[in-house]
Every structure is written in C-alpha cells, then in structure tokens.
Amino acid sequence: MKSALFASVRQRLRATVESVVARTPVADIHTHLYDPAFTDLLLWGIDELLVYHYLIAETFRRLELPFDRFWALGRREQADLVWQALFVENSPISEACRGVLTTLHRLGLDVKKRDLAAVRQWFARQRVADHVDRCFELAGASSVCMTNSPFDDLERPLWERGFRRDERFTAALRIDPLLLDWPATARRLTGWGWRVGRTLNARTLGEVRRFLADWTRRLDARFLMVSLPPDFAFPARTDTARLIEDAVLPHCREFNLPFALMPGVKRAVNPSLRLAGDGVGLSNLAALQNLCAAFPHNKFAATVLARENQHELCVLARKFRNLHLFGCWWFLNTPSLAGETTAMRLELLGLSVTPQHSDARVLDQLIYKWTHFREVLARVLVEKYTDLAATGWNPTRTEIERDVQNLLGGEFDRFCRMTV
Ligand code: RAT
Ligand code: ZN
C-alpha cells in the first residue's frame, strides 16, 4: 500500500518535472553559432549537419579513402559519404548520428524514408530568418551565446564595421590565440597597430588590457573564454600564466566578467582529421584551484573535458564560490555521461551549476542538443525530487519551475552579476 502510494507520488512528480523541463526556455551559454548578420558564418541545413566534425570523425573510421581526397571534395559530396557510411550502411546509433535524426524529426521531416534528396529539397525551400525562429522555438532557446574571436579573419571585419545585433545572440570573447601562442599573436597585434612586444613587460601588458577592453566593449561580451591543454599549469613561468595574471584577470575584475576556462583538450592528435582531430586528456586541476584561491575577487567558470576529472571538479566548486561549473562538454555530451555528470553535480553542489551548454556549430543542432539534454535533466531531477518526497518534503510546481529556470540560465546570470 505504502509503496503504491509512493509510486503515484513519483508518477505525479515525473509528469510535473517533464512538463516544466520541456517548457522552460534555456539561455545557452556556449555555442559556435553566429548572429544572422554574419550571413554565411551562420551554418544551417542538412549538409552542414552531416559534415559536423563529430560525424566526420566517425565516418573516417569506416572510409578507406585517403584523407586528402575526402577534404578535396565539396561539402555536399562529403555529406553524401557521411550519410552513406553512418546512416545507410549502419544504424545511426551514436549520439551525433541520433542528433541528426532528432533534428529532422522535430522539424517535421519523415526520417524513416531514408531519403536524403527529399530532405535536401525541404531545406532548399527554407528562408534563413524563419529557420532561425523555428530552431529557437523547437530548442526552447531564449538566447545563445556565440564564441567570438578577434583573431578570426572571417568574423573580425564585421565587428570592426559594426552591425545591428539580433538580441538573441549574445557574445563571449574567445582568446585562445592570445593565451596559447603569444609570439604569433604579438606579431598580429603589432600589425593591427597595438604597441606590444614579444616580451611581456608593463607596457605590453597594459596594451593587451586596452585590447581586451576594446573588444569587450565592441562585442558587449558577457565573459572571456579560453580552451586549454590538459597540462595547463598555474602559477608557471609561461607566457600563458603571465598574461592571465597580469592582463586577463585585472581586465575581468575591472569589467566584473567571469573568465571561463575549458581545460582538457589535446589539439590535433590526428591532424589529418582537421577540426575532428582533437582529443582529450586528464587535466591537472591544481591550476584551477590555484587560480580560484589566489584571485578571490575574480570569477571563474569552468567545464573540463575528461570524465575522470568531474568528481574533483565538483569538490573544487564546493570550496570556491568564485567558481561556476557549466556544461557537459563535447565528448561528455552523451546521454550516459551527461546523466552521471549532472547527477553528481546536483548531489555535490545542489542547484548552483549550469549543467549544460549546447556547443552547437550548426543552427539546427540546437534542436537535438536541447531535446536530448532536457530528457537527461528531467530523468535526473525526477530522481532527486522523488528522494525529497520520500522525506515528506513535497516540491511544489512553482519551486520546480524556479529550480529549472535557474539550471537553464538563471544561475549563470546570477553568477555574472555577482561581485566576489
Ligand atoms: O565541441 C566542439 O565543437 C569543439 O570543437 C570545440 O569547439 C570546443 O567546444 C571549443 O569551444 O573549443
Ligand atoms: Zn565550443
């Protein structure tokens, strides 16, 4: 009797949580999408979905074609090869494959026909402005944060010219080249008129801060970001550590902006795969701990790539209120790993995290990344609220709505606004 009663509590909670999680808009804090004003840089459509680098890596496992021959093909022919290898000759079970099908299905296309030509025809009839609205609506996204690099020759000119912003696309200032290859970046900055030198002396560091201030204002950046190799160390006698300490962190304090670190990526472990050739390594989180401890008046956001780092990362966030965890990044964005990572974070940190970002590179991917993650999140939350109900603490719908809003962007907003 008692357990029958409890099963019905659980069922009611499930219905509430699923409906709240499905309806709550998400502010997606990290994507590689662009404001439509960037025209061709905003990728969308079936061929872009198929040549996503996650799928390219999987396709090469099945091709005998030399890498160069693949890269010499046009995008449509590459997409044909991906479709043939991963969807026709094998069942599309992987998370990235399933994502294409979820996207098409939710757009109203009939995937069971396995008719790529018909899918292409449907996309050819779409207009980009309407398609942006539709993808946002189906993903339940209220805004997406772009990844904006002043060092990207394709996007820089538009920022310099100026354009009318679409408010749904917020900006983050990405500074990998600045922090990871100072000699080359110093040459580029000099070429653009900044008075920097190879040596990181006071004048150069001051000029880097002026550069950061200029681009923060130009982008109206919400935070600064860098991805880092697993062996990133701090403190250290490196250009990277010096630039962080004497340019990036003072800049972030001045503008009250978080600095987002993404450690764990081993770039180009197989360069033949190009963008698909990056790997993962176990990060030394002592660097992050040292930063949080040494700079209590800076705010750090972090997502770490290796599964094996996740527990230590949660414990670190328990110790430092100036550290905000976000996202199940890249190779962690699978239902099983996102599920375990999210459950662990909620168990150790409660609701003071941002459990996911989409990392979408193609507009349409917003649909599947959020459809899939909402399933994961609802599953985890049903467990957690059921555990609470077992104590007699019955979460109300209003409380559940508040919690989900916070997980899907509210907490990150609060972190951005807070002063430490
Ligand atoms: O997930 C990805 O698409 C990766 O290629 C990276 O872009 C990563 O998310 C990053 O921001 O460096
Ligand atoms: Zn990314």
Side-chain angles (χ1 to χ4, degrees):
M1 184 59 197
K2 202 160 164 211
S3 73
L5 208 73
F6 201 66
S8 90
V9 169
R10 188 192 183 90
Q11 222 164 40
R12 250 186 301 124
L13 273 172
R14 167 169 299 127
T16 308
V17 168
E18 283 176 356
S19 112
V20 170
V21 170
R23 281 158 213 248
T24 306
V26 61
D28 189 342
I29 68 165
H30 174 55
T31 75
H32 296 265
L33 301 176
Y34 288 91
D35 184 310
F38 285 83
T39 61
D40 290 351
L41 291 190
L42 173 60
L43 306 179
W44 63 282
I46 184 61
D47 289 328
E48 297 296 349
L49 283 169
L50 288 171
V51 301
Y52 186 30
H53 69 88
Y54 292 26
L55 288 173
I56 297 280
E58 293 170 33
T59 303
F60 272 126
R61 298 185 50 72
R62 301 210 160 268
L63 294 183
E64 289 176 24
L65 191 69
F67 293 107
D68 289 351
R69 296 247 316 268
F70 179 88
W71 294 120
L73 298 172
R75 191 177 39 204
R76 191 187 169 107
E77 293 158 301
Q78 292 174 351
D80 283 336
L81 284 178
V82 173
W83 179 257
Q84 187 63 25
L86 301 183
F87 291 79
V88 178
E89 291 170 12
N90 298 279
S91 293
I93 293 260
S94 77
E95 174 62 7
C97 284
R98 174 185 164 232
V100 175
L101 300 181
T102 300
T103 302
L104 298 180
H105 178 66
R106 295 217 49 216
L107 284 167
L109 289 149
D110 186 357
V111 298
K112 72 173 171 298
K113 292 188 180 142
R114 294 151 165 77
D115 185 350
L116 180 55
V119 172
R120 281 186 171 135
Q121 277 162 21
W122 183 88
F123 275 101
R125 291 196 296 273
Q126 308 313 309
R127 291 180 44 237
V128 67
D130 301 333
H131 199 57
V132 172
D133 294 346
R134 190 183 302 116
C135 289
F136 269 69
E137 192 185 315
L138 290 172
S142 52
S143 66
V144 303
C145 192
M146 306 179 276
T147 297
N148 302 110
S149 172
F151 305 101
D152 183 317
D153 292 335
L154 296 177
E155 67 170 301
R156 193 179 55 258
L158 193 56
W159 289 115
E160 284 170 343
R161 265 204 315 279
F163 63 96
R164 219 182 127 118
R165 298 278 293 262
D166 179 328
E167 279 175 9
R168 293 169 296 182
F169 292 78
T170 57
L173 175 54
R174 181 80 176 235
I175 53 172
D176 292 26
L178 176 77
L179 292 183
L180 300 176
D181 188 359
W182 174 248
T185 299
R187 285 194 295 276
R188 293 187 79 191
L189 290 181
T190 305
W192 298 338
W194 298 93
R195 296 174 58 239
V196 298
R198 168 65 188 86
T199 310
L200 291 169
N201 56 23
R203 195 193 64 177
T204 290
L205 289 162
E207 196 70 350
V208 171
R209 277 189 68 178
R210 281 212 311 120
F211 170 79
L212 293 173
D214 180 54
W215 278 91
T216 295
R217 290 198 190 95
R218 201 185 290 276
L219 305 179
D220 190 17
R222 296 190 70 205
F223 55 99
L224 277 74
M225 287 190 101
V226 67
S227 72
L228 294 160
D231 59 2
F232 163 66
F234 190 95
R237 294 165 70 86
T238 58
D239 291 342
T240 306
R242 185 85 204 274
L243 282 158
I244 288 176
E245 179 162 359
D246 294 326
V248 174
L249 295 184
H251 169 74
C252 288
R253 287 195 296 275
E254 183 185 340
F255 285 77
N256 194 26
L257 298 178
F259 179 36
L261 297 105
M262 306 169 82
V265 54
K266 287 187 181 166
R267 294 288 180 197
V269 296
N270 184 352
S272 304
L273 296 186
R274 300 196 180 172
L275 191 57
D278 300 336
V280 58
L282 191 66
S283 289
N284 178 4
L285 295 186
L288 189 56
Q289 177 181 318
N290 295 338
L291 282 167
C292 292
F295 301 98
H297 301 301
N298 272 100
K299 295 183 283 187
F300 300 93
T303 193
V304 179
L305 200 49
R307 178 195 192 189
E308 297 74 8
N309 275 131
Q310 300 308 317
H311 183 246
E312 186 183 355
L313 183 63
C314 285
V315 176
L316 204 57
R318 290 176 65 85
K319 306 300 139 192
F320 295 101
R321 66 177 177 175
N322 59 339
L323 173 60
H324 185 85
L325 302 194
F326 71 97
C328 299
W329 181 23
W330 201 343
F331 310 117
L332 281 180
N333 190 359
T334 69
S336 58
L337 297 178
E340 73 173 31
T341 307
T342 302
M344 180 165 56
R345 287 173 172 175
L346 297 191
E347 285 160 12
L348 283 165
L349 297 163
L351 297 159
S352 64
V353 296
T354 300
Q356 190 55 311
H357 64 265
S358 76
D359 238 312
R361 281 178 182 266
V362 181
L363 174 66
D364 320 63
Q365 288 170 342
L366 287 174
I367 301 172
Y368 96 75
K369 302 256 190 185
W370 287 111
T371 302
H372 291 186
F373 186 70
R374 284 176 200 272
E375 286 166 12
V376 169
L377 182 61
R379 218 167 35 236
V380 173
L381 286 177
V382 169
E383 284 308 310
K384 298 298 150 208
Y385 288 128
T386 305
D387 291 346
L388 292 189
T391 72
W393 179 284
N394 287 313
T396 66
R397 185 179 179 104
T398 311
E399 288 168 344
I400 294 175
E401 284 170 352
R402 172 203 59 199
D403 296 348
V404 174
Q405 277 162 18
N406 285 338
L407 290 172
L408 295 181
E411 268 303 311
F412 191 69
D413 260 352
R414 186 181 69 84
F415 185 71
C416 289
R417 279 195 311 270
M418 100 185 190
T419 312
V420 286

